[in-house]
Structure formats: C-alpha cells, structure tokens
Amino acid sequence: MFRIALVTAALLAGNACAQDLEALKLDTRKNALPVLPKVVGMMQDTVAREGVSQAIPVCKEKAPQLLQAQSAKTGWEMRRVSLKTRNPERGTPDVWEARHLADFNIRAAQGEKPETLEVGEIVTENGRPLYRYMRAVPVGEVCLNCHGPVEQLDSSLRSQLAKSYPHDQAFGYAKGQIRGALTVKRPL
C-alpha cells in the first residue's frame, strides 16, 4: 500500500511539474516573442523606405535595443544567437543554446516547420534554478537581403556588412532555413 501511495505521489508531482513547465513556456512566449515581429517590421519598413544598406543598423542596433527594453521590463536575459554568427560578441551561443540550435536544424531537416521549433526547460546555473527558453528564428524574405547567398549580394552591401561585422559568417541562407533563435534566461 505504501508503494502505491509513493508511486501516486511521484506521478502527481511529475504532472504538476509538467504543468508548471507548460505555464512557464506560455508566459515566456507571451512576453518574449512579440519582439520578433517588431524587428521584422522595422526591417521591412526600413528596406522599403531607405534601401537594404540602411537596414543594417536596424539589425545591429535597434533589434538588440528592443530585446534590452523587454529584458528590463521582464527581468529576463534575452538575446539572439546563431550557429553562423554575424556579431560574435552578441550572438555566439553557449553550449545549451548550440545544442538546441543543432537540434532545431535536424528537426527542420526532418520536416518540422522552423517557425514552430522551441524548447523550454528548467536548468541550474551557478547553483540557481533558471527557466531557459529558445525559439527558432527562420529566414524570411527580408532577411535574404543580407543573409542570402553571398554571390547574390550587391558588392557595396557586402562591403558595408564587412565594415559593420568584420567576423561575419551569416551568409548563404535560403528562405525558411533557421537563421538562429531568440533565447531567454528567466530566473525562478
């Protein structure tokens, strides 16, 4: 009888933990993901009004500012990461992020839609529990202007990108591929 009670308690605890994880994921989505369409909208508007080269500062400066503002609002650390970084100081993934980015690429290659790829889990860092969340960022039409095949980019644009990003690796993408991810560290 004691075993049955113990197993039942463990199952209920596991179910509560799964519900807590789902609640964390939903809340994180609600508070972090709205930044992504804002960045895309700014890029589209800037390209349409001023041209592709004028959109470089949007990705380099304004997108991180939006993430910083949302981080200040929520108290969470948020950033964009990629396996092929454009700005290594800001976008190089840590081990957890690199593992999940690689997994996203595998899952996308197996037919999952890149815009649905996400992961969320509780981890311990420096003795403290954190909820870590990551959502894939697929390459959209506007992204191809600067992230598409290098031979298809205008030489003056390539020159401007090289000035802004001397260690750039973020070329050669096709629409729908995973460009990187939005990643969140949320203290618990």
Side-chain angles (χ1 to χ4, degrees):
M1 189 59 134
F2 178 72
R3 276 189 175 164
I4 293 173
L6 190 59
V7 169
T8 302
L11 288 173
L12 290 174
N15 189 34
C17 184
Q19 289 175 345
D20 291 345
L21 278 174
E22 188 61 22
L24 281 167
K25 184 187 288 183
L26 292 172
D27 187 57
T28 304
R29 265 190 214 145
K30 179 181 128 200
N31 287 290
L33 293 185
V35 172
L36 295 176
K38 288 179 185 177
V39 171
V40 172
M42 283 191 313
M43 292 296 296
Q44 290 169 331
D45 291 346
T46 303
V47 168
R49 278 191 335 266
E50 303 173 42
V52 174
S53 63
Q54 296 305 310
I56 294 171
V58 172
C59 235
K60 185 175 183 180
E61 298 160 13
K62 291 185 181 178
Q65 289 170 355
L66 282 174
L67 287 170
Q68 287 173 349
Q70 194 64 11
S71 290
K73 182 177 169 184
T74 60
W76 309 339
E77 181 184 323
M78 289 186 231
R79 63 193 193 110
R80 297 174 301 163
V81 295
S82 178
L83 294 175
K84 289 171 51 175
T85 60
R86 177 148 279 174
N87 186 343
E89 295 84 32
R90 286 189 181 153
T92 300
D94 63 23
V95 173
W96 186 90
E97 293 160 339
R99 178 171 44 99
H100 288 294
L101 281 166
D103 183 59
F104 287 171
N105 283 328
I106 291 167
R107 290 168 56 192
Q110 293 173 341
E112 286 188 56
K113 293 181 179 181
E115 61 274 6
T116 66
L117 297 173
E118 66 181 345
V119 64
E121 64 183 300
I122 296 173
V123 300
T124 302
E125 287 186 11
N126 300 321
R128 301 168 115 179
L130 293 173
Y131 178 71
R132 295 212 58 186
Y133 175 83
M134 204 160 85
R135 176 73 169 239
V137 176
V139 175
E141 194 65 42
V142 72
C143 306
L144 292 174
N145 291 309
C146 294
H147 294 286
V150 70
E151 63 277 0
Q152 293 179 8
L153 302 179
D154 177 80
S155 62
S156 65
L157 177 62
R158 284 196 312 253
S159 176
Q160 287 180 299
L161 286 168
K163 285 179 191 173
S164 292
Y165 304 104
H167 305 290
D168 192 356
Q169 300 174 14
F171 295 105
Y173 288 98
K175 186 176 179 184
Q177 286 184 311
I178 296 170
R179 167 67 188 98
L182 172 68
T183 185
V184 177
K185 284 185 180 183
R186 180 177 175 172
L188 294 177

